[in-house]
Amino acid sequence: PMQSLQVFNVIPKLPAELEPLWKLARNYWFAWNFEVENLFAQIDPALWEESYHNPVWFINHLPQQTLQDLAGDSLFREHLNQLCRDQDTYMGRPVSARYPVGESEKPLIAYFSLEFAVTLCLPLYPGGLGILAGDHLKSASDLNVPLIGVGFAYANGYFRQYMTPDGWQQERYPDYDFDQMPLSPALTPDGQPASMQITIGDRPLFFRIWEANVGRIRLFLLDTNMPE
């Protein structure tokens, strides 16, 4: 019988000295902390642009020799560790006394939007509404407001436009690999990937949930691209 086709992703091995890079890469705090973004950009400016400023994809596509060189660079390591300490300080600030959450420490505010423009490498937006929603998440993080965002994980995102040689506008719908983005599956209290089912009329609708960390704010994205 014919064997099924399997796809394997080959990624470089990150030296132990550079493990803090993942800490910075997996929180969209880098989107409005330009010192963090500059840290990635200075490693390989061309690859950073090719990644659409996506630090997860960027790290996974760095040459192994580049990683080894960075691991041996004491100045780079110190800068990296300092930025991680800055992130810890930012994340550790107490919730504003203006927005007490009580003993439960659960968010009081849920922000629903069809799109969130957090940064270029989370392309779930076409324009103004998304930019406003994304800025609200960033501001809520800086102000330490107890808020969560809820939106959709679009498998193809919004189309990108280009012009043909004869002057016609064309659209291209890119396929997004969420595993290569600063996203992770949202987990239930017992550590299982979160999924839900609702019924619309007599039709069941299944969706799983991805989580993005936008500074202190958790953004949950609903994804119906499931076998069910």
Side-chain angles (χ1 to χ4, degrees), residues 89-97 143-144 216:
T89 300
Y90 177 86
M91 298 292 293
R93 284 171 49 194
V95 174
S96 171
L143 294 170
N144 219 352
R216 300 183 184 89

Side-chain angles (χ1 to χ4, degrees), residues 57-113:
W57 188 97
F58 177 76
I59 293 172
N60 285 336
H61 287 77
L62 282 171
Q64 189 66 52
Q65 186 58 53
T66 298
L67 294 173
Q68 294 301 134
D69 292 343
L70 290 174
D73 186 336
S74 60
L75 291 178
F76 179 86
R77 294 199 314 271
E78 176 54 34
H79 189 197
L80 170 62
N81 291 329
Q82 180 58 55
L83 289 177
C84 286
R85 291 191 291 270
D86 292 344
Q87 187 186 67
D88 287 340
T89 300
Y90 177 86
M91 298 292 293
R93 284 171 49 194
V95 174
S96 171
R98 297 171 59 188
Y99 307 99
V101 295
E103 295 180 358
S104 67
E105 295 186 356
K106 293 181 179 179
L108 294 176
I109 305 163
Y111 187 129
F112 294 83
S113 179

